């Protein structure tokens, strides 16, 4: 049996940036890019030391990297503050009165905060937190919707050296309780409710009961957004406005050690309890600032919209820290992408003249599904760059994004990274590199990512293998909070000898060195001695004009080792036209066989109206795998968005 992962993708289309894009780009040619990259890759430590000079250090660092496998420190003798690097650094420049945040609520209300206004709000909340006894090193939980106060909250913590733990506002009370307990949070910042799909949905009220089960929690600060009735517990709960109104708008930024913990963010592993990924200050800021500037080819007058919620790492690095350190104007949106109609994002792009739009493949596929007429109703000519993150983007979705949203003018930066990596690791530099639909292209300068076999040897071109990072990078996680053993084992157990970080992803490098992510290795299946990435089979299914979305998992098969089961959601208009669903299944099987070869042909196809997804939109293949293998699901479902989906899939199973 072969150890390599077979790749059957035949995608070969290439897209060069337009002359106009190149003319204004920060890095304008392959030659210029290679010069930077070759030098950086030869000595990543020196490269990052130079990049780090672009930040404001209260005490400059002398040491750059200390690497005692698997413990890493960057710039450890320097002192730095994240709030100062996002706010104060702009206040004596022309950016002082520039919009830092433009926020649109779901009902259509708009608020703009300049850099100065944002800084004053952050200072007031920072003083408010101090008045509650929050000190450097304390953990503050943040359970908010997408309101400007979410950004204010993170920066207020950073200003006084409190470590923030943002919990996605859509998580249940139990998920919140576990995360607050695990991180030992002292204060929680939350809100009465948020507008979602046309009506106020409760936050504080919905989780009120569990808050008494967090021993360490002393105070709950509640922001009034919707005005809905909200239970307040005496001696514990306090209104946000009552806390900040009387506070001074001046607050000194603490001088923090570079390795001071900036935040903990929980991410669900494929098994077991969520992991509290710990990021520290200096290294995280350095790489986040650099990647924001170069990958998004930032310009002073960009209006940048990243659709991620602050509850995800993308909302930390590319809604808050990255863009604000670079003095950008960040657009924030509160509500559902489909409210009041499927064109909400496009109407906001037109209204606010958004120039950079960064979203996830799952969103792109759902836009595709609702039809071209929605984006086509709006003027999208302000867009100049598009981004994608979170999953492999299948070439059909990429092409749709490129043609229908970008009108063939806008490069797409497909950015590969993880909660653990803190910031972008593999992505195109858009003015320099040509793109191919479905690949995040090359590791960024100073990032030694590679595809290796299980002995740690580099794979040949187009041979599938495991994605590793061979040299520490500044924004890498430092530990799993409270479980350093698990950190060492999960990320460094696989390639101990070589001291490589293992990403958990399967990938291949093509002959241009471009890296194609084939999904998590737990989504890799073995069919007749060939290990296949299920993402490729899914991509083939989705390229059929009748298919909206697909998830492919394996169940044990006596003959082939594993058999493939595909869960398929059809496009709305397709269902009405299909007479015979059994015949449709056969058509789709043949389609996959034709697209990528008979070996990848699904053994079974199941139609479903929806797939089980995490709140961040990732399909929970683990649950589907369990269902097709054991007939039931037992694992952790705390991150599942819609439980009824599972019930329906089970019901179909029993029919
Ligand atoms: O499998 C990869 C996939 O998402 C994983 C990281 O998930 P998370 O920590 O939730 O962070 C998501 C936002 C950074 C990766 O191991 N992934 C992320 N971006 C891409 C991707 N897969 C393919 N292409 C990408 N651009």
């Amino acid at each position: 049996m072969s150890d390599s992962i077979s790749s059957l993708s035949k995608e070969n289309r290439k897209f060069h940036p337009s002359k106009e894009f190149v003319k204004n780009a920060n890095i304008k040619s392959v030659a210029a890019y290679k010069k930077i990259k070759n030098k950086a890759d030869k000595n990543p430590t020196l490269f990052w030391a130079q990049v780090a000079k672009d930040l404001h250090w209260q005490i400059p660092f002398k040491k750059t990297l200390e690497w005692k496998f698997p413990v890493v420190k960057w710039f450890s003798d320097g002192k730095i503050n994240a709030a100062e690097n996002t706010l104060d650094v702009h206040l004596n420049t022309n950016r002082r009165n520039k919009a830092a945040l433009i926020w649109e609520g779901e009902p259509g209300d708009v608020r703009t905060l300049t850099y100065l206004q944002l800084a004053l709000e952050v200072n007031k909340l920072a003083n408010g937190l101090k008045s509650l006894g929050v000190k450097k090193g304390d953990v503050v939980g943040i359970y908010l919707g997408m309101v400007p106060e979410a950004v204010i909250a993170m920066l207020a913590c950073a200003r006084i050296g409190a470590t923030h733990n943002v919990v996605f506002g859509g998580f249940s009370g139990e998920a919140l309780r576990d995360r607050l307990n695990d991180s030992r949070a002292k204060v929680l910042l939350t809100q009465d409710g948020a507008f979602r799909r046309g009506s106020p949905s409760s936050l504080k009220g919905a989780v009120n009961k569990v808050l008494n089960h967090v021993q360490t929690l002393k105070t709950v600060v509640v922001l009034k957004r919707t005005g809905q009735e909200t239970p307040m517990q005496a001696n514990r709960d306090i209104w946000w406005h009552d806390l900040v109104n009387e506070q001074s708008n001046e607050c000194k930024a603490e001088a923090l050690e570079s390795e001071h913990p900036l935040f903990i963010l929980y991410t669900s592993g494929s098994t077991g309890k969520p992991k509290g990924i710990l990021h520290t200050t200096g290294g995280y800021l350095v790489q986040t600032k650099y990647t924001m500037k170069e990958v998004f080819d930032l310009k002073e007058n960009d209006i940048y919209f990243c659709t991620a919620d602050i509850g995800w790492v993308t909302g930390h690095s590319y809604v808050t820290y990255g863009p604000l350190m670079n003095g950008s104007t960040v657009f924030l949106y509160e509500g559902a992408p489909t409210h009041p109609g499927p064109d909400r994002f496009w109407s906001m792009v037109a209204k606010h003249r958004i120039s950079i739009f960064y979203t996830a493949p799952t969103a792109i596929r759902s836009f595709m599904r609702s039809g071209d007429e929605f984006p086509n109703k709006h003027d999208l000519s302000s867009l100049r760059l598009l981004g994608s993150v979170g999953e492999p983007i299948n070439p059909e979705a990429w092409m749709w994004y490129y043609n229908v949203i970008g009108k063939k003018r806008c490069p797409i930066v497909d950015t590969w990274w993880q909660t653990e990596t803190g910031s972008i690791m593999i992505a195109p530099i858009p003015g320099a590199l040509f793109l191919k639909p479905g690949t995040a292209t090359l590791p960024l300068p100073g990032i030694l990512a590679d595809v290796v076999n299980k002995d740690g040897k580099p794979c040949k071109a187009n041979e599938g293998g495991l994605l590793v990072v061979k040299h520490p990078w500044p924004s890498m996680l430092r530990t799993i909070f409270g479980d350093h053993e698990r950190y060492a084992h999960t990320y460094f157990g696989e390639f101990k000898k070589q001291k490589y970080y293992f990403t958990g992803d399967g990938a291949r490098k093509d002959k241009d060195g471009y890296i194609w992510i084939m999904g998590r290795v737990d989504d890799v299946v073995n069919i007749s001695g060939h290990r296949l990435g299920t993402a490729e089979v899914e991509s083939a299914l989705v390229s059929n004009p009748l298919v909206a979305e697909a998830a492919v998992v394996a169940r044990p098969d006596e003959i082939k080792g594993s058999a493939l089961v595909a869960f398929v959601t059809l496009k709305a208009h397709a269902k009405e036209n299909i007479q015979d669903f059994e015949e449709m299944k056969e058509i789709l099987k043949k389609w996959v066989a034709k697209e990528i070869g008979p070996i990848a042909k699904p053994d079974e196809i199941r139609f479903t109206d929806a797939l089980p997804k995490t709140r961040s939109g990732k399909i929970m293949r683990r649950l589907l795998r369990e269902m097709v293998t054991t007939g039931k699901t037992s694992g952790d479902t705390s991150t599942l968005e819609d439980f009824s989906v599972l019930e329906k899939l089970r019901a179909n199973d029993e029919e």
Side-chain angles (χ1 to χ4, degrees), residues 314 389-392 414-419 505 517 520 618:
T314 310
V389 60
E391 294 174 75
D414 179 354
T415 62
W416 180 92
W417 58 295
Q418 307 177 298
T419 306
D505 281 353
I517 306 295
R520 306 286 303 165
K618 281 197 191 3

Side-chain angles (χ1 to χ4, degrees), residues 637-655:
T637 53
S638 67
T639 55
L640 184 66
E641 192 184 35
D642 178 2
F643 282 93
S644 67
V645 169
L646 267 189
E647 293 304 327
K648 280 185 207 140
L649 286 172
R650 263 189 224 121
N652 288 344
D653 202 27
E654 281 152 19
E655 269 167 16

Side-chain angles (χ1 to χ4, degrees), residues 7 13 78 148 164 175 213 251 283 309 342 350 368 370 383 414 424 507 553 599 607 609 617:
S7 169
R13 287 170 282 195
H164 56 73
H213 300 283
C251 176
D309 191 278
M368 252 174 108
S370 40
L383 290 172
D414 179 354
I424 300 174
V553 295
I599 188 155
F607 291 120
D609 281 335

Side-chain angles (χ1 to χ4, degrees), residues 197-214:
R197 296 193 185 93
S199 50
S201 73
S202 165
L203 266 107
K204 164 71 162 59
V207 300
N208 200 41
K209 276 207 210 101
V210 304
L211 297 179
N212 281 330
H213 300 283
V214 183

Side-chain angles (χ1 to χ4, degrees), residues 78 98 101 140 150 169 171 217 226 239 269 310 319 370 419 422 464 466 470 531 562 598 608:
K98 174 179 175 176
L101 301 180
V140 173
F171 275 156
L217 195 63
T226 58
W239 289 105
I310 50 129
V319 171
S370 40
T419 306
L466 306 172
K470 295 178 166 176
R531 289 167 63 197
S562 300
T608 170

Side-chain angles (χ1 to χ4, degrees), residues 65-95:
L65 168 67
E66 290 148 88
W67 177 220
K68 293 199 185 88
F69 178 79
V71 175
V72 70
K73 290 182 185 167
W74 282 90
F75 318 115
S76 72
D77 56 353
K79 289 203 173 173
I80 188 165
N81 185 291
E84 199 170 43
N85 272 280
T86 43
L87 300 169
D88 308 49
V89 292
H90 307 305
L91 298 184
N92 293 323
T93 73
N94 286 342
R95 291 176 181 152

